[in-house]
Amino acid sequence: MSYEIKINNRLSTIELLRKDGSNYQIAIDNKVYELDVAEVENGVYSILLDNISFNVELVEGRNSKSYIVNTLYETFGVEIIDAEAKYLMSRRKDEGEDTNVIVSPMPGKVVKILCNEGDHVKAGDTVIIVSAMKMESEYKVKQDRIIKRILVKEGDTVKGDQPMVVIE
Amino acid sequence: MSYEIKINNRLSTIELLRKDGSNYQIAIDNKVYELDVAEVENGVYSILLDNISFNVELVEGRNSKSYIVNTLYETFGVEIIDAEAKYLMSRRKDEGEDTNVIVSPMPGKVVKILCNEGDHVKAGDTVIIVSAMKMESEYKVKQDRIIKRILVKEGDTVKGDQPMVVIE
Amino acid sequence: MIKKVLVANRGEIAVRVMRSCRELGIKTVAVYSDVDRKSMHVRYADEAYFIGPAPSSESYLRMDKIMEVAKLSGADAIHPGYGFLSENANFSRLCEKEGVIFIGPSPYAIDTMGDKITARKTMIAAGVPVVPGTTEPIKDLKTAVKIIMEIGLPVMIKASAGGGGKGMRLVKREEDIVNAVSSARSEAKTAFGDDAVYIEKYISSPHHIEFQVLGDKHGNVVHLFERECSVQRRHQKVVEETPSPIMTQEIRMKMGEAAVAAAKAVDYYGAGTIEFIVDDNLNYYFLEMNTRLQVEHPITERVVGVDLVKQQINIADGLPLIFKQEELHQHGHAIEVRIYAEDPDNNFMPSPGIIKHITEPLGLGVRHDGYAYEGYEIPMYYDPMISKLIVWAETRQEAISRLKRALYAYKITGVKTSIPYLSRILDVPAFVEGRYNTHFIEENQQYLLPRQGCTDRCMDVAAITAFVDYINKLERLQPDKPAKHLGNNWKDLGRKRSVLRY
Amino acid sequence: MIKKVLVANRGEIAVRVMRSCRELGIKTVAVYSDVDRKSMHVRYADEAYFIGPAPSSESYLRMDKIMEVAKLSGADAIHPGYGFLSENANFSRLCEKEGVIFIGPSPYAIDTMGDKITARKTMIAAGVPVVPGTTEPIKDLKTAVKIIMEIGLPVMIKASAGGGGKGMRLVKREEDIVNAVSSARSEAKTAFGDDAVYIEKYISSPHHIEFQVLGDKHGNVVHLFERECSVQRRHQKVVEETPSPIMTQEIRMKMGEAAVAAAKAVDYYGAGTIEFIVDDNLNYYFLEMNTRLQVEHPITERVVGVDLVKQQINIADGLPLIFKQEELHQHGHAIEVRIYAEDPDNNFMPSPGIIKHITEPLGLGVRHDGYAYEGYEIPMYYDPMISKLIVWAETRQEAISRLKRALYAYKITGVKTSIPYLSRILDVPAFVEGRYNTHFIEENQQYLLPRQGCTDRCMDVAAITAFVDYINKLERLQPDKPAKHLGNNWKDLGRKRSVLRY
């Protein structure tokens, strides 16, 4: 059976045609590849394609279907889209985009919160300041918004991808 | 509850008295230790005992209760003996030691078998030759024996700890 | 003789210091904060003591706690590394008072060099060139013009009361002097209510070149030649090399002598660095002195063949220097790059997190000073440097090739790193040719953009690898079913996964 | 110009060769056997080709297959590494015939030096000293005595037809000559029916010292000084260092000249090594020539500052040598140890298996040339060397300290290694003082026994660590139960474990 696969913004179909030990025949968008794919270390793959040696490293992303993939020079986000993922994506769209969340992109510490719940803030206003590794990052709103909920407090340690402020 | 633990040939009793995060209070043979035990890498432990920093590496042995333990200079076999292990040990004794097996201590290839099933061999006779990493090892019998069964054939690849010849 | 050293630091430098201690047969004591229990310096040391919460103000900067550990552990000396307490005169004084050897300079040297104005005056008195300029505010046009002619063009005129670029004028041509002074003064008047100005020599294409010095407690000082540190991003050094590609033997000797004179002016002992600003004509001016070991000290170690930490310890122990100036030589070429946990393609945002996998580059001419390992979480509280990669080769060109080879083989997953960015720097023509100054990074932005190194085929390989990992993961979870039936049993997978967090 | 190199080897040397190729911008082609699909050289190369089953006779020694890959991949040169085909004149000839550059010497040089008798004759003709001795059997007492007096004592008398020590006599004193010759002859007569004997100079405390040479295709040959390789176990080198602790500058120059003369005698080009046997009085005799790169080449690279593989490639490319003898110098001291997967406490039994965890030693002055990684299975078919650890320091004493420090930090689990044994060697007084010869290991057995480094307390720590791992493992399997109830649910554990092989 074939899957959809998203590589950064490129959407392709992918299908396993044959597997024999570490040899795979795989089709992507009708191109057929014969490869020797070997996991050499945990998350580290050695791939031979037409005798060319590729080294690819994987880190699992948010879930078992999403990966961060390092090639020699670049890093890609790869997402495998099966029936379940498609269902979730369609549901997410139904919810619309009327709420919005300011999320910390990395682990850090909340230095300052410059708003209160219910505040009307203007485009460009800084809402929250987070510090990580000696650097402070200011998070601003891009349009006039209302602060719906504040999920953290000053001094809190936040994880990567943790929602901090919900705006409306 | 307390366990018995075997370190090489030393048999001790060991008991977890208290655990608080990475801090452990553990008694061995009535000596009580307070230690900070942290697994830093897979199978690699950092231990602080009275502020002395120890580095200990573990590899799981034959089963989940047996370990090969590396300290700075030495390697120990450690075996945790619970009720199940005690039962197995007592059963093994009942079977007696009237059969004997020549086992390959490391992975290799059977180069030559110098006996047939049923042969009477003399003390010091070489029974089988195994090669690994450019080196050939001869396995001899220590007393006059009878070859009961030969479990491998010439050219076979053997694993570590694989029985090769049963003698009587 | 020093028998036990407390290293009041963390990260790669703590491990690096401990390595030299071990070679000298000296015991080491680590201190660690809450988040550093699993850090390499705790594992490497002979002893380790907890000193407080993660923020450095509550741990690595707490002189009292560190001194307490020194007493408790019986350490007879403290090495401060770089950063934290390394340039803190009060800490040096505290050590003196408590009878613990501070492996670093005297409080007097730290104080004098730590204050920019005092340092400048001391250097002028010692005959060390400083950037020419006025030390008092100028209040009239005539004096201003006279001083500018003395200093020589180009100059920068700055408002005394100033800031934010107001009342600031760069003057390059003689005919612009009067106009520039007048407009700077009137702008200063308007902005700050004060028309007094300073005048300073303007170095249009500045090079940052520093000299390593070593001084003992018997008045001997030697220099260990220069390090070229002009590749900087926001005043942070990115690449360092020695010898400097613009240096001549004659200027090297002169600058070396100036560096020794600078150190002697403050009775310096220990390892220190004299930073110079150098123009394209190799005029050099004292900028400041770093009264500690530098991050980039390994390139000097490699080219001169001296273990600087061992020298620091021997000096602190009161031993005289074991070499004379004329016995020191440079052999070949060394380059260092700093590997940070940061995202060079996203404004160099720090990228703390867990190192999932690391492959360290090895082989001929490669030194790797790091402290991270697989499974280690780079904490968000400290400098995000993961390691330093130092290469050596007979020639500069070969050293660049070697560094590229090493960066090619250096793989870290789990956090983003500066490795791709550093690789790009090594391909910039100005760097390859050795023609660069501190404007290098801003002037070469177009070369430093992310590369499109991955073709469609390479992207396909990336996608296939993830896909293969995914289907094999499914297969392992469903041992009874052949691979081709996979992908239908999500509920099963979900159920099993909750058990499988092992 | 060479653009693509096929490396006809595996393990650390394949990776080491590829590193230099990468620095030169040369593409690399790996070949691999069945068991080497995941080996580092396959991962490191630009291209990789499968050449057959695990036994080297069916893969790495198959000239036809390797040549086929060279053609298929468009490689214009082949580097043989060491071992395998590196000293095979037929392979060198095949390359010549097929128009592929062999990165190594001519078939003539390999042939001449490969045959001991021809090599000895060639060296005598070239004026290179060889171990003095007779080349024809001696049949009477008078001639024997005359020859012994010419060679000088001590000598070894051996039965022509001999073997197994029969008819063999060591003569140290003049008054024993007649008796020894007579009894050797009569013993030989009894044992073999032939009383003819050979006489050879006896070197009572032999040192194995070798000289690195480089020759180009234009007749230029230089030497890159010596390597001391006397620490041997069963004729396998264990520790190598340069400079040799017993060498003088005068003898070094003479031996270097002899090494160059030896190479020139066979029109040598490429990298090669002249092995000498040297006695305590620094008399030296040609032993043999290795017509390839040596395992221990990195210590020369470090001390002389030359990348030998790059030189090999440039020489193969027809380029003249880029340095003259007088431009080459030794700086500091380098030592190499070989890390094997073997059990030094159990008769050095090979210990193939899976590397569970590896911590590589790093930092100042340390080079680590390996190819293993976590999860890699060291195959049983090839040499069990895991890596080479090379250190450099200004002095020999510091180099020993540094090597001890590096070995301290070098951790490998999953297979047994020679690391503890190597650490012990570094503590042997004769080694520390640099007074050793090829009898070193047998003479110092008492120093090389396993250490009782672990006290009762340390054993307790080992036991506790295993115990903690065990109880935490139990806890993870029983998430709903607190730790203190552990240990009662063996059936549950068993059931879950079968699922948990993930």
Side-chain angles (χ1 to χ4, degrees):
Chain A
M1 73 168 268
S2 82
Y3 293 77
E4 286 188 343
I5 193 163
K6 213 173 145 191
I7 313 116
N8 282 357
N9 293 318
R10 194 188 95 181
L11 196 67
S12 299
T13 58
I14 190 163
E15 186 173 4
L16 172 63
L17 303 176
R18 198 166 45 75
K19 181 186 167 179
D20 176 16
S22 67
N23 290 302
Y24 291 80
Q25 192 182 42
I26 285 173
I28 292 197
D29 291 341
N30 303 323
K31 263 176 290 176
V32 176
Y33 290 98
E34 306 264 355
L35 322 87
D36 180 344
V37 182
E39 184 170 11
V40 287
E41 299 180 64
N42 192 10
V44 180
Y45 279 85
S46 163
I47 291 117
L48 298 180
L49 167 59
D50 299 337
N51 294 111
I52 306 295
S53 174
F54 291 85
N55 294 284
V56 177
E57 296 134 49
L58 304 179
V59 177
E60 224 179 73
R62 280 182 304 283
N63 59 54
S64 64
K65 294 169 227 169
S66 101
Y67 291 93
I68 294 155
V69 183
N70 289 347
T71 60
L72 181 51
Y73 294 112
E74 271 153 288
T75 298
F76 299 100
V78 173
E79 197 101 21
I80 289 144
I81 302 162
D82 61 0
E84 188 197 44
K86 276 185 186 159
Y87 168 72
L88 285 174
M89 279 162 72
S90 67
R91 228 184 48 168
R92 215 177 294 146
K93 274 206 186 98
D94 292 342
E95 286 174 6
E97 300 194 306
D98 53 346
T99 62
N100 212 332
V101 177
I102 295 177
V103 160
S104 64
M106 59 183 170
K109 196 172 179 172
V110 177
V111 174
K112 211 161 180 56
I113 298 172
L114 298 154
C115 58
N116 293 306
E117 292 187 1
D119 278 6
H120 290 251
V121 289
K122 284 185 183 159
D125 278 5
T126 299
V127 169
I128 188 165
I129 302 175
V130 174
S131 115
M133 292 174 144
K134 297 177 163 182
M135 195 174 112
E136 295 197 346
S137 305
E138 302 187 353
Y139 297 87
K140 299 169 197 288
V141 287
K142 284 171 188 157
Q143 298 161 28
D144 294 1
R145 298 290 197 123
I146 299 166
I147 303 298
K148 205 171 160 190
R149 279 194 62 196
I150 299 173
L151 306 164
V152 292
K153 55 184 193 301
E154 290 179 6
D156 274 10
T157 301
V158 290
K159 293 181 195 153
D161 283 330
Q162 180 176 331
M164 299 186 295
V165 178
V166 184
I167 53 180
E168 206 177 274
Chain B
M1 72 168 270
S2 82
Y3 292 78
E4 285 188 345
I5 193 163
K6 214 175 146 192
I7 312 117
N8 283 356
N9 293 318
R10 193 189 96 182
L11 196 67
S12 299
T13 59
I14 190 163
E15 184 173 6
L16 172 64
L17 303 176
R18 197 167 44 77
K19 180 186 169 181
D20 177 15
S22 67
N23 291 303
Y24 292 79
Q25 193 182 42
I26 286 173
I28 292 197
D29 290 343
N30 304 323
K31 261 177 291 176
V32 176
Y33 289 98
E34 305 266 354
L35 323 87
D36 180 345
V37 182
E39 184 171 12
V40 288
E41 299 180 63
N42 192 11
V44 180
Y45 280 84
S46 163
I47 290 116
L48 298 180
L49 166 59
D50 299 337
N51 294 111
I52 306 295
S53 175
F54 291 86
N55 294 283
V56 176
E57 296 134 50
L58 303 179
V59 177
E60 224 178 73
R62 282 183 303 283
N63 59 54
S64 63
K65 293 169 229 169
S66 101
Y67 291 93
I68 294 155
V69 183
N70 290 347
T71 60
L72 181 52
Y73 295 110
E74 273 155 284
T75 297
F76 299 99
V78 173
E79 198 102 21
I80 289 145
I81 301 160
D82 60 0
E84 188 197 46
K86 277 186 185 159
Y87 168 72
L88 287 173
M89 279 163 70
S90 65
R91 228 184 50 171
R92 214 178 295 146
K93 276 207 186 100
D94 292 345
E95 286 174 4
E97 299 192 307
D98 53 345
T99 63
N100 211 333
V101 177
I102 295 178
V103 161
S104 64
M106 59 182 168
K109 199 172 177 172
V110 178
V111 175
K112 208 155 182 64
I113 297 173
L114 298 154
C115 58
N116 294 304
E117 292 186 2
D119 277 7
H120 291 251
V121 288
K122 284 184 184 160
D125 278 4
T126 298
V127 169
I128 187 164
I129 302 174
V130 175
S131 115
M133 295 177 142
K134 296 177 160 180
M135 196 174 112
E136 294 195 348
S137 305
E138 302 187 353
Y139 297 87
K140 301 170 196 288
V141 287
K142 285 171 189 159
Q143 299 162 28
D144 294 2
R145 298 290 196 124
I146 300 166
I147 304 297
K148 203 172 164 190
R149 280 193 62 197
I150 298 173
L151 305 164
V152 292
K153 54 184 193 303
E154 289 181 6
D156 274 9
T157 300
V158 290
K159 292 179 198 154
D161 282 330
Q162 182 177 328
M164 299 186 295
V165 179
V166 184
I167 53 181
E168 207 175 275
Chain C
M1 288 295 286
I2 293 173
K3 290 199 174 62
K4 195 187 265 191
V5 169
L6 185 157
V7 181
N9 215 305
R10 63 177 302 285
E12 69 88 18
I13 191 61
V15 177
R16 190 261 164 275
V17 169
M18 290 176 192
R19 284 187 176 124
S20 285
C21 289
R22 183 161 288 277
E23 289 178 20
L24 290 169
I26 292 172
K27 294 273 175 199
T28 54
V29 179
V31 291
Y32 65 96
S33 75
D34 254 352
V35 293
D36 271 345
R37 168 64 185 89
K38 294 183 179 184
S39 196
M40 189 55 93
H41 71 291
V42 174
R43 299 168 58 187
Y44 197 91
D46 293 302
E47 300 174 30
Y49 292 79
F50 173 69
I51 50 162
S56 24
S57 58
E58 299 173 50
S59 48
Y60 297 107
L61 291 172
R62 283 285 297 266
M63 302 187 218
D64 53 341
K65 287 193 183 174
I66 288 167
M67 188 52 70
E68 197 187 315
V69 172
K71 295 299 175 87
L72 204 60
S73 63
D76 38 25
I78 297 180
H79 195 299
Y82 51 68
F84 295 137
L85 297 171
S86 61
E87 293 185 286
N88 188 317
N90 288 334
F91 188 59
S92 173
R93 248 185 296 272
L94 176 67
C95 289
E96 223 167 59
K97 191 183 134 219
E98 297 287 340
V100 175
I101 298 171
F102 178 72
I103 302 177
S106 66
Y108 164 71
I110 301 175
D111 272 338
T112 309
M113 287 303 195
D115 181 70
K116 289 222 168 196
I117 293 165
T118 316
R120 185 178 164 96
K121 283 183 185 159
T122 311
M123 290 305 102
I124 292 169
V128 177
V130 297
V131 178
T134 51
T135 42
E136 304 297 326
I138 299 161
K139 301 194 180 240
D140 65 295
L141 177 63
K142 209 174 139 192
T143 318
V145 174
K146 182 173 154 273
I147 287 172
I148 290 171
M149 295 312 289
E150 277 168 25
I151 293 175
L153 291 171
V155 297
M156 185 66 88
I157 304 166
K158 293 176 184 176
S160 270
K166 294 273 183 205
M168 216 158 138
R169 288 290 182 284
L170 172 62
V171 191
K172 291 183 173 175
R173 299 180 307 174
E174 205 172 325
E175 57 264 43
D176 297 338
I177 295 178
V178 175
N179 255 345
V181 174
S182 304
S183 67
R185 293 183 68 212
S186 73
E187 195 173 296
K189 182 81 181 175
T190 314
F192 315 111
D194 176 4
D195 63 0
V197 291
Y198 279 98
I199 291 158
E200 207 178 73
K201 177 94 184 168
Y202 177 74
I203 315 289
S204 53
S205 50
H207 301 260
H208 175 118
I209 297 179
E210 59 187 30
F211 271 68
Q212 176 70 51
V213 296
L214 281 177
D216 64 22
K217 291 179 177 173
H218 309 276
N220 305 303
V221 180
V222 297
H223 70 86
L224 290 90
F225 312 101
E226 82 278 16
R227 291 186 289 258
E228 167 71 64
C229 306
S230 299
V231 179
Q232 302 187 349
R233 203 183 61 78
R234 295 189 195 156
H235 303 286
Q236 282 274 56
K237 294 165 191 166
V238 179
V239 180
E240 300 102 356
E241 62 179 314
T242 185
S244 164
I246 64 164
M247 191 58 67
T248 68
Q249 189 56 19
E250 191 198 338
I251 299 292
R252 174 176 294 124
M253 286 305 119
K254 280 191 187 162
M255 287 180 75
E257 281 163 26
V260 169
K264 283 190 169 170
V266 292
D267 300 327
Y268 199 82
Y269 56 76
T273 295
I274 314 289
E275 296 193 340
F276 292 99
I277 183 166
V278 182
D279 69 18
D280 276 343
N281 299 318
L282 298 185
N283 295 305
Y284 55 91
Y285 309 101
F286 172 87
L287 203 62
E288 62 172 344
M289 180 171 193
N290 295 312
T291 54
R292 53 165 167 84
L293 201 66
Q294 300 275 87
V295 175
E296 59 271 22
H297 76 275
I299 56 173
T300 297
E301 294 188 317
R302 186 57 178 85
V303 159
V304 185
V306 169
D307 183 330
L308 287 171
V309 171
K310 281 188 193 167
Q311 300 309 319
Q312 286 188 300
I313 293 170
N314 288 339
I315 289 165
D317 231 344
L319 299 177
L321 288 179
I322 54 166
F323 31 66
K324 295 198 170 60
Q325 188 65 55
E326 59 269 25
E327 291 165 350
L328 296 171
H329 302 283
Q330 296 170 294
H331 297 296
H333 199 97
I335 311 179
E336 174 185 289
V337 290
R338 304 178 182 196
I339 316 296
Y340 282 97
E342 64 186 13
D343 185 356
D345 301 337
N346 185 14
N347 200 27
F348 297 89
M349 280 267 275
S351 173
I354 294 173
I355 306 261
K356 296 282 186 186
H357 183 263
I358 186 163
T359 303
E360 289 169 304
L362 299 170
L364 174 57
V366 176
R367 169 177 173 185
H368 187 235
D369 268 32
Y371 79 111
Y373 54 84
E374 274 173 41
Y376 178 68
E377 180 169 5
I378 296 178
M380 62 180 205
Y381 295 92
Y382 315 109
D383 188 79
M385 192 167 80
I386 302 173
S387 73
K388 305 182 306 201
L389 189 58
I390 302 107
V391 299
W392 178 93
E394 195 72 20
T395 64
R396 184 172 188 270
Q397 193 200 336
E398 191 180 12
I400 294 174
S401 304
R402 188 157 288 161
L403 185 50
K404 284 162 81 166
R405 181 267 287 175
L407 286 172
Y408 165 82
Y410 196 178
K411 313 269 186 201
I412 297 178
T413 56
V415 300
K416 302 220 174 203
T417 73
S418 51
I419 293 173
Y421 186 76
L422 295 167
S423 302
R424 284 173 232 152
I425 288 177
L426 301 183
D427 282 334
V428 176
F431 183 81
V432 173
E433 292 156 22
R435 299 178 291 95
Y436 65 84
N437 55 45
T438 54
H439 303 140
F440 171 78
I441 295 229
E442 52 179 293
E443 282 173 5
N444 289 282
Q445 288 300 352
Q446 81 275 21
Y447 293 104
L448 298 172
L449 297 174
R451 278 176 199 164
Q452 285 300 331
C454 208
T455 57
D456 273 359
R457 181 175 147 114
C458 152
M459 269 175 86
D460 285 351
V461 169
I464 287 170
T465 309
F467 181 65
V468 165
D469 187 88
Y470 172 75
I471 58 179
N472 287 339
K473 202 156 53 181
L474 288 188
E475 199 178 306
R476 276 196 302 270
L477 291 173
Q478 300 170 325
D480 301 334
K481 295 174 190 173
K484 51 187 168 184
H485 293 145
L486 290 178
N488 296 318
N489 293 284
W490 280 105
K491 282 184 187 161
D492 279 359
L493 175 61
R495 209 177 297 140
K496 279 176 188 154
R497 281 188 77 221
S498 66
V499 181
L500 275 159
R501 285 277 159 247
Y502 177 55
Chain D
M1 289 294 285
I2 293 173
K3 289 199 175 62
K4 195 186 264 191
V5 168
L6 185 156
V7 181
N9 215 305
R10 64 176 302 284
E12 69 86 20
I13 190 61
V15 176
R16 190 260 165 273
V17 170
M18 288 176 192
R19 285 189 176 124
S20 284
C21 289
R22 182 162 290 275
E23 290 179 19
L24 290 169
I26 292 172
K27 294 272 175 200
T28 53
V29 179
V31 291
Y32 64 96
S33 75
D34 254 352
V35 292
D36 270 347
R37 167 63 184 91
K38 295 185 179 183
S39 195
M40 189 55 93
H41 72 291
V42 174
R43 299 168 58 185
Y44 197 90
D46 293 302
E47 300 174 31
Y49 292 79
F50 173 70
I51 50 163
S56 27
S57 58
E58 298 174 51
S59 48
Y60 297 107
L61 290 172
R62 283 286 297 268
M63 301 188 216
D64 54 340
K65 287 192 185 174
I66 288 167
M67 188 52 71
E68 197 187 315
V69 172
K71 295 297 175 88
L72 204 61
S73 64
D76 37 26
I78 298 179
H79 195 299
Y82 51 69
F84 295 136
L85 297 170
S86 62
E87 293 186 286
N88 187 316
N90 287 334
F91 189 58
S92 173
R93 248 186 297 273
L94 176 67
C95 289
E96 221 167 58
K97 190 183 133 216
E98 297 287 340
V100 175
I101 297 171
F102 178 72
I103 302 177
S106 65
Y108 164 71
I110 300 175
D111 272 339
T112 310
M113 288 303 195
D115 180 72
K116 290 220 167 197
I117 294 164
T118 317
R120 186 177 163 96
K121 284 183 183 158
T122 311
M123 289 305 102
I124 292 169
V128 177
V130 299
V131 178
T134 51
T135 43
E136 305 295 325
I138 300 162
K139 301 191 178 243
D140 64 296
L141 177 65
K142 209 173 138 193
T143 318
V145 174
K146 182 171 153 273
I147 287 172
I148 290 172
M149 295 313 287
E150 277 167 25
I151 292 175
L153 291 173
V155 298
M156 186 65 89
I157 305 167
K158 295 176 183 174
S160 270
K166 294 270 182 208
M168 215 157 136
R169 287 290 183 286
L170 171 62
V171 190
K172 292 181 172 177
R173 299 181 306 173
E174 204 172 325
E175 56 264 44
D176 296 337
I177 295 178
V178 175
N179 255 343
V181 173
S182 304
S183 67
R185 292 183 68 209
S186 74
E187 195 173 299
K189 183 85 183 171
T190 315
F192 316 110
D194 177 4
D195 63 1
V197 291
Y198 280 96
I199 292 158
E200 206 179 74
K201 177 93 185 168
Y202 177 73
I203 315 288
S204 54
S205 51
H207 300 261
H208 175 118
I209 298 179
E210 58 186 31
F211 271 68
Q212 177 70 51
V213 296
L214 280 177
D216 64 21
K217 291 180 176 172
H218 310 277
N220 304 303
V221 180
V222 297
H223 71 86
L224 290 89
F225 311 101
E226 82 278 15
R227 290 186 290 259
E228 168 71 64
C229 307
S230 299
V231 180
Q232 302 186 351
R233 204 184 60 79
R234 294 188 195 156
H235 302 285
Q236 283 273 55
K237 294 167 191 165
V238 178
V239 181
E240 301 103 355
E241 63 178 314
T242 183
S244 164
I246 63 163
M247 190 58 68
T248 68
Q249 189 57 20
E250 190 197 339
I251 300 293
R252 176 177 292 125
M253 287 305 119
K254 279 192 188 162
M255 287 180 76
E257 280 162 26
V260 168
K264 283 191 168 170
V266 292
D267 300 326
Y268 199 81
Y269 56 76
T273 295
I274 314 290
E275 296 193 343
F276 292 99
I277 184 166
V278 181
D279 69 18
D280 276 342
N281 299 317
L282 299 185
N283 295 305
Y284 54 91
Y285 310 101
F286 172 88
L287 203 63
E288 62 172 342
M289 180 172 193
N290 294 312
T291 56
R292 54 162 168 87
L293 201 65
Q294 301 275 86
V295 176
E296 59 272 23
H297 75 275
I299 56 173
T300 297
E301 294 189 317
R302 186 57 179 85
V303 159
V304 186
V306 168
D307 182 331
L308 287 171
V309 171
K310 282 188 191 167
Q311 301 308 321
Q312 285 187 301
I313 293 171
N314 288 338
I315 289 165
D317 232 344
L319 299 177
L321 287 179
I322 53 165
F323 31 67
K324 296 196 170 61
Q325 188 64 56
E326 59 270 26
E327 292 165 350
L328 295 171
H329 302 282
Q330 295 170 294
H331 298 295
H333 199 96
I335 311 179
E336 174 184 289
V337 290
R338 305 178 182 195
I339 317 296
Y340 283 97
E342 64 185 15
D343 185 357
D345 301 337
N346 185 13
N347 200 28
F348 297 89
M349 280 269 275
S351 174
I354 294 173
I355 306 261
K356 297 282 185 186
H357 183 263
I358 186 165
T359 302
E360 289 169 305
L362 300 169
L364 174 59
V366 176
R367 169 177 173 186
H368 187 233
D369 269 32
Y371 79 111
Y373 54 85
E374 274 173 42
Y376 178 69
E377 181 170 3
I378 298 178
M380 62 179 205
Y381 295 93
Y382 314 111
D383 187 78
M385 191 168 78
I386 302 173
S387 72
K388 305 183 307 203
L389 189 56
I390 302 107
V391 299
W392 178 92
E394 195 72 20
T395 64
R396 183 171 189 271
Q397 192 201 338
E398 192 181 10
I400 294 173
S401 303
R402 187 156 288 161
L403 185 50
K404 283 162 81 167
R405 182 265 289 173
L407 286 171
Y408 165 81
Y410 196 177
K411 312 272 185 200
I412 297 177
T413 56
V415 300
K416 303 219 174 202
T417 73
S418 50
I419 293 173
Y421 186 75
L422 295 167
S423 303
R424 283 173 234 152
I425 287 178
L426 301 183
D427 282 332
V428 176
F431 183 81
V432 173
E433 292 156 24
R435 297 179 293 98
Y436 63 85
N437 55 44
T438 54
H439 304 140
F440 171 78
I441 296 231
E442 52 179 294
E443 283 173 4
N444 289 281
Q445 288 300 351
Q446 81 274 25
Y447 293 105
L448 298 172
L449 297 174
R451 279 178 199 162
Q452 286 300 330
C454 210
T455 56
D456 274 357
R457 182 177 148 111
C458 152
M459 269 176 86
D460 285 350
V461 168
I464 287 170
T465 310
F467 181 64
V468 165
D469 187 88
Y470 172 74
I471 58 179
N472 287 339
K473 203 157 53 182
L474 287 188
E475 199 178 308
R476 276 197 301 271
L477 291 173
Q478 301 171 323
D480 301 333
K481 294 174 191 170
K484 51 187 170 184
H485 293 145
L486 290 176
N488 297 317
N489 293 284
W490 280 105
K491 281 184 186 159
D492 278 358
L493 174 63
R495 209 178 297 140
K496 277 176 189 155
R497 282 189 75 221
S498 66
V499 182
L500 274 160
R501 283 279 160 244
Y502 176 56

